[in-house]
Amino acid sequence: MRLSTKGRYGVKAMFDLALSYGEGPIALNNIAERQNISVHYLEQLFASLRKAGLVKSVRGAQGGYVLAERPQDITVGDIIRTLEGPLAPAECVVSDDSNECSRADCCVTRIIWEKIRDSINEVVDSITLQNMIDDYKRMNNKDTYMYYI
């Protein structure tokens, strides 16, 4: 199971935004330049993130985007599921509804897929943007940010 660029770039862009939390709106072209992602692609990602209530847009000359919540309140899981959809290794375990498959009651592999799904979701839901900021600070042993991720 691999994440597409939607999920990977979305997490990078949200992390970039989190680094500037409390400093006002950040223009997408600034994020695009720092993260080496096209502005057009970021516009598509941020439309979904805004619709999901993870970011807010600010209009005007000094406009851009800000996090809708504090960095400690937004998880990697929130971001990835918004951009990628449910995180599951097989279609039969996208939800807990076993009515999708007539063999669900006797399918031993379904149990494996459920465990993988649950483990992945547990991990991504346990990591917040604030955790990423803290890890980044430790990695760089600095209080200032270099924006290279």
Side-chain angles (χ1 to χ4, degrees):
M1 191 170 110
R2 297 180 89 179
L3 294 177
S4 73
T5 55
K6 286 181 184 179
R8 295 193 321 267
Y9 290 0
V11 170
K12 288 174 69 166
M14 288 290 284
F15 171 73
D16 192 302
L17 202 57
L19 286 174
S20 301
Y21 182 73
E23 297 176 13
I26 306 299
L28 285 185
N29 61 338
N30 293 340
I31 297 172
E33 186 176 315
R34 285 190 294 264
Q35 300 303 327
N36 197 27
I37 304 169
S38 86
V39 175
H40 179 70
Y41 197 53
L42 281 178
E43 287 170 347
Q44 294 173 26
L45 299 180
F46 272 72
S48 297
L49 294 166
R50 187 180 53 75
K51 191 173 182 179
L54 296 177
V55 297
K56 293 179 183 176
S57 61
V58 178
R59 300 178 91 126
Q62 301 299 315
Y65 285 89
V66 295
L67 294 179
E69 303 286 338
R70 299 175 308 165
Q72 58 266 36
D73 296 328
I74 299 174
T75 68
V76 171
D78 296 331
I79 300 163
I80 294 173
R81 277 189 295 275
T82 294
L83 298 171
E84 298 274 357
L87 296 173
E91 195 66 35
C92 64
V93 295
V94 166
S95 69
D96 285 323
D97 185 8
S98 61
N99 294 332
E100 294 177 21
C101 177
S102 62
R103 299 180 52 96
D105 292 336
C106 61
C107 180
V108 72
T109 58
R110 181 182 170 90
I111 296 167
I112 296 166
W113 308 147
E114 287 172 340
K115 287 179 181 180
I116 292 170
R117 176 202 62 201
D118 295 346
S119 294
I120 290 170
N121 282 294
E122 184 179 327
V123 170
V124 297
D125 288 338
S126 73
I127 303 167
T128 67
L129 290 174
Q130 186 63 53
N131 296 139
M132 292 177 66
I133 291 169
D134 295 343
D135 289 344
Y136 181 76
K137 281 180 163 180
R138 274 191 298 278
M139 286 173 55
N140 291 290
N141 201 17
K142 296 179 182 178
D143 287 327
T144 58
Y145 307 117
M146 297 179 60
Y147 294 105
Y148 296 110
I149 57 171

